Amino acid sequence: MSDAGPPVEPTPQRERAPQPSSQYTGIFRDKVVRVMAYVAAGLVIAFLVTVVSALFTGVLVPSGPRTVAEKDMAVAAAAIEAGSTDAAVWGRYVATLIAVEQYSRAQGVIDDARASLDDSATAEFTIAEARLHYARGRYEDAVEAADAAQKQISEQHEAALAGGGERARIARLGGLHANHAAAALIKAYSYEALGEWGKAIEQFDAYLESTPSAADILIDRGLAKIEAGDTPGAEADLRSALAFLPDDREALDGLASIGVTP
Amino acid sequence: MSRTTRPEESAAAVRSRRGRRTLTVILILLLLTLALAVNLLVRLITPAGLPGRDADLGGLEWVRSIYGMSDAPEDQLSRAQAAVPDSGGQLWVTDGEQGTIMRFTPDGQFQDSFSGPADAPLLTPSRMAFGPDGLLYVCETTSDAIRVLDRGGNEAGSFNIPEPVSVAVSDDRIVVGAVAGFAILDKQGQPIKIVGSRGKGEQEFDYVHGVAIGEDGSIYVADSFNNRLSAWDGDGNRLWMVRTGKPANGAEMIDGKLTVTDAPDAEEGTESGLQLPLGMTLDSAGRIVVADMFDCTLAVFNAEDGSFVGKYGAEGEDDGEFFYPVSVSYDPGRDWFAVADSINNRVQIVRIPGSSGGAEPVSAVRRALTGPLRACVPPLVLLIVVLAVTLVVRSRRARAAGQKSLNDSSGNSDFDNAVAYTDRESL
């Protein structure tokens, strides 16, 4: 294969083309060069006209949140902008950033939050970190962060109980913070991603202990049990889920995959 | 292969070759830069967190959602009640929290809001309709009134009517759905005919949450708790009535016991069965589109006889899903529906198949031009103009060149003839 184009033969036409009387000068005496220049100029003009047109037709004008993810992100950002010191609001903001795959920004918000807010009672930022690890596919790190969050929440809970008084009464009535169960779910899905079905089922068990009617988690545990080879357990979970969600496609497909008629 | 530079190769040919090479590089760089810029623009206008591709919405196409007047938590919609388009496509929205009427552009950008006249502000505005006269007709159930306002929120002929819960307006009629039936009024609010009384019988109604007026003046009615749809002529004579599912008012006290009695013609468990038909509109294909609150779908019926056409949407909180949709309106210019998605606290703009009533390619182009692709129209027009001008110029040049060569050839011919003549003379 040649490393250069064919030689430009000085054909009679080419010899004639750059006549002094021609309206074109320099390289533009060549018709091919002219066509290429027209194409390049046309592309630039078309692009600029499109951008101007997009501005005038309002396509590039911000119009407010269009999706639920954009809305959640915008509202949380506005609350933080307004000076919210509620760790849950910051945690929600991080969750929305993760949902729209803005991972670097999410990490930045976690760092900012850690620097200025106290999440000792709820482990909000550790949970956020666990979510971020999971979203980035770092499942071992996600499990580790979720473990740390659960430990932090348990210690705070026990300290509150030991302290006595009103705080202990509230801690006893309220139980462990909801983020404890959320961490169990992060661990469950991380173990699933790692193919460790037994550990995933353990975490689903822990979550369902506090929320036994969570039909979607029953389905997830049922499907994990199918993978782990526990067919009777899977059938029981999927049937329980169908009691809440009779038409759920995942549950019905799960039952069908183990040869059970709903 | 070595480059050939022949002694006879002219300087012009060398320049041309260099020019071609330079412009090829420039073109490649330009194309790459433009591709990058287009990619950035597309990313900029593509909403984050779009509905998943695996969501089964029955053919419903999500366009956008509107969540509030700003990003501030207190400015978010709460229990959306109605969203109706005006003739320019702007959306006018009510919810259960703000007590105002909010105006948004078709792109969902908040414009302004008003609470009605200063001396008689709106109290609980709910369902609305725009008349062909450009006036806004607003139901105020608690005030037993239809508030008629201009686009600035000024009083324009409000009137009283008991417990209005829905309204539709045509050139010469106002139809108001109420708890016990519906009323056909002239444009001054004077009754022409009042149809029905409250109950479960043939001529009775139980909350008419949806009314619509067809192009021929036919009136369509959603009798919500009786779960019936019916069509009436402009004088209030019934054309047809269909039961669309199990009535929601089957429970009653009999001998001191709460007893549920189902209507004998209730369709249970069938595909067409509705759970609670509320808001209603007509699309460009002339079909009836009903918001089914408890089924969380849009149901479509044939306006000729009330036969079932299809259901679209699903229950949920993701975009394209509904949670207690209470009203629906149609924008024929953009061929889309605005749904007040009550519990999800938003208005959703969606499309369903077959609503345009026209040829599918034409509809597809119209739909595309309501989105970001409309920015491509000016460059496309420019391109067509440039091509047309180029073709005209080329054809003129070709004609001029043809004329010149014709003149040249006729000149030769004269010369030849002259030679021939001289030759003959000499002979």
Side-chain angles (χ1 to χ4, degrees):
Chain A
M1 198 175 184
S2 68
D3 58 351
V8 178
E9 296 294 340
T11 58
Q13 284 88 347
R14 283 195 181 118
E15 286 293 332
R16 272 204 305 272
Q19 292 298 316
S21 60
S22 168
Q23 55 180 313
Y24 302 106
T25 57
I27 59 169
F28 293 104
R29 284 179 177 161
D30 182 351
K31 192 179 176 187
V32 176
V33 171
R34 285 204 302 278
V35 170
M36 289 169 92
Y38 288 147
V39 169
L43 280 172
V44 172
I45 291 169
F47 178 74
L48 291 177
V49 171
T50 307
V51 171
V52 172
S53 161
L55 285 169
F56 274 98
T57 52
V59 170
L60 290 179
V61 177
S63 58
R66 295 160 290 184
T67 60
V68 68
E70 284 186 346
K71 178 253 183 177
D72 287 346
M73 191 162 66
V75 171
I80 289 170
E81 187 82 12
S84 173
T85 53
D86 184 347
V89 171
W90 285 71
R92 239 186 347 262
Y93 186 38
V94 173
T96 59
L97 289 172
I98 293 169
V100 298
E101 298 176 4
Q102 295 190 17
Y103 301 143
S104 303
R105 211 167 141 200
Q107 186 62 61
V109 173
I110 292 171
D111 294 342
D112 289 349
R114 277 200 191 287
S116 55
L117 297 172
D118 172 31
D119 74 329
S120 53
T122 61
E124 201 68 60
F125 309 138
T126 318
I127 287 282
E129 234 155 24
R131 286 198 180 105
L132 187 55
H133 286 312
Y134 178 81
R136 283 176 155 161
R138 299 173 187 161
Y139 302 118
E140 284 96 349
D141 293 342
V143 169
E144 200 179 313
D147 265 335
Q150 284 187 318
K151 191 168 171 239
Q152 185 181 331
I153 292 166
S154 299
E155 283 172 1
Q156 285 292 319
H157 183 69
E158 278 159 25
L161 290 175
E166 185 68 9
R167 198 163 155 244
R169 203 174 67 83
I170 292 169
R172 203 172 300 116
L173 284 172
L176 286 167
H177 190 271
N179 278 351
H180 194 275
L185 273 191
I186 294 170
K187 283 159 70 176
Y189 294 126
S190 299
Y191 284 130
E192 270 194 347
L194 293 166
E196 297 182 33
W197 302 106
K199 287 183 179 176
I201 291 166
E202 273 175 31
Q203 296 303 321
F204 283 131
D205 290 345
Y207 183 88
L208 286 165
E209 212 170 289
S210 60
T211 320
S213 61
D216 49 344
I217 308 303
L218 278 169
I219 294 168
D220 289 341
R221 189 174 69 177
L223 298 176
K225 283 180 178 173
I226 292 174
E227 297 290 341
D230 177 9
T231 308
E235 184 183 346
D237 278 351
L238 295 174
R239 283 195 187 283
S240 303
L242 285 171
F244 298 104
L245 305 169
D247 301 322
D248 189 273
R249 181 50 44 203
E250 255 189 317
L252 293 171
D253 289 348
L255 284 176
S257 73
I258 53 174
V260 175
T261 312
Chain B
M1 192 169 121
S2 64
R3 184 172 295 134
T4 310
T5 310
R6 296 178 185 169
E8 65 270 24
E9 190 175 1
S10 72
V14 173
R15 274 202 303 273
S16 290
R17 194 169 55 216
R18 281 186 193 150
R20 286 183 192 187
R21 208 180 300 139
T22 310
L23 272 166
T24 304
V25 172
I26 290 174
L27 263 179
I28 290 170
L29 288 176
L30 189 64
L31 283 171
L32 287 174
T33 311
L34 288 184
L36 187 69
V38 169
N39 181 267
L40 285 174
L41 281 179
V42 169
R43 285 174 66 133
L44 192 69
I45 59 179
T46 303
L50 280 172
R53 285 183 191 161
D54 56 341
D56 182 14
L57 304 176
L60 178 140
E61 179 197 342
W62 175 85
V63 178
R64 64 158 49 249
S65 300
I66 296 173
Y67 283 95
M69 296 184 282
S70 79
D71 294 340
E74 64 273 18
D75 282 346
Q76 303 307 301
L77 297 179
S78 177
R79 306 289 180 263
Q81 286 293 307
V84 294
D86 62 19
S87 55
Q90 301 225 331
L91 277 167
W92 300 66
V93 175
T94 55
D95 74 352
E97 183 78 21
Q98 309 288 347
T100 61
I101 293 172
M102 295 159 270
R103 185 167 66 95
F104 295 85
T105 66
D107 288 332
Q109 192 177 20
F110 174 69
Q111 298 294 289
D112 51 31
S113 67
F114 61 75
S115 307
D119 56 341
L122 292 164
L123 296 174
T124 51
S126 56
R127 308 296 167 73
M128 302 181 288
F130 260 103
D133 48 14
L135 297 175
L136 191 57
Y137 295 74
V138 186
C139 291
E140 256 199 344
T141 312
T142 51
S143 309
D144 291 331
I146 293 291
R147 304 290 299 272
V148 186
L149 307 170
D150 66 16
R151 294 165 65 91
N154 304 305
E155 173 60 41
S158 301
F159 56 88
N160 287 100
I161 190 163
E163 300 177 301
V165 289
S166 57
V167 61
V169 187
S170 69
D171 284 325
D172 59 350
R173 294 276 195 277
I174 303 169
V175 177
V176 179
V179 172
F182 68 96
I184 305 169
L185 309 112
D186 64 19
K187 291 303 283 285
Q188 281 67 50
Q190 296 303 311
I192 296 170
K193 186 163 184 181
I194 292 169
V195 182
S197 56
R198 191 166 183 191
K200 302 176 188 175
E202 280 264 312
Q203 291 289 336
E204 294 177 326
F205 296 85
D206 199 358
Y207 277 88
V208 176
H209 272 294
V211 286
I213 306 175
E215 279 190 5
D216 63 353
S218 298
I219 296 162
Y220 302 94
V221 172
D223 182 5
S224 298
F225 292 113
N226 282 321
N227 210 335
R228 290 191 294 219
L229 297 183
S230 51
W232 309 72
D233 68 17
D235 297 321
N237 303 305
R238 196 169 76 198
L239 303 173
W240 53 256
M241 181 167 76
V242 292
R243 175 83 70 183
T244 45
K246 190 175 174 180
N249 54 5
E252 56 187 330
M253 294 299 283
I254 298 175
D255 298 332
K257 288 181 181 171
L258 187 65
T259 311
V260 177
T261 48
D262 285 340
D265 57 347
E267 292 179 38
E268 282 189 78
T270 61
E271 189 191 22
S272 62
L274 303 187
Q275 293 195 34
L276 187 66
L278 289 190
M280 164 194 278
T281 191
L282 297 171
D283 64 18
S284 286
R287 309 176 307 174
I288 303 167
V289 180
V290 183
D292 186 348
M293 181 176 178
F294 288 163
D295 196 36
C296 300
T297 53
L298 295 180
V300 181
F301 293 85
N302 195 324
E304 294 294 315
D305 54 8
S307 56
F308 175 72
V309 175
K311 271 188 186 182
Y312 303 94
E315 180 265 328
E317 60 181 19
D318 288 339
D319 296 288
E321 297 174 338
F322 303 117
F323 198 3
Y324 288 4
V326 293
S327 69
V328 57
S329 63
Y330 180 67
D331 181 344
R334 287 162 182 76
D335 186 26
W336 67 33
F337 297 85
V339 182
D341 189 8
S342 170
I343 301 295
N344 281 327
N345 298 321
R346 66 188 172 196
V347 170
Q348 288 205 73
I349 311 294
V350 298
R351 289 186 168 120
I352 58 176
S355 58
S356 68
E360 197 45 48
V362 178
S363 308
V365 170
R366 274 182 54 204
R367 288 175 173 199
L369 291 181
T370 60
L373 278 181
R374 66 181 185 265
C376 297
V377 173
L380 196 65
V381 170
L382 185 72
L383 187 68
I384 291 168
V385 168
V386 167
L387 284 176
V389 168
T390 308
L391 284 175
V392 168
V393 167
R394 277 179 168 246
S395 74
R396 276 187 185 170
R397 275 186 189 165
R399 219 179 301 137
Q403 189 65 44
K404 189 168 178 285
S405 84
L406 196 65
N407 290 342
D408 289 350
S409 81
S410 357
N412 287 342
S413 179
D414 289 347
F415 174 74
D416 291 343
N417 291 341
V419 169
Y421 181 73
T422 313
D423 287 348
R424 276 200 299 273
E425 285 270 302
S426 64
L427 283 171

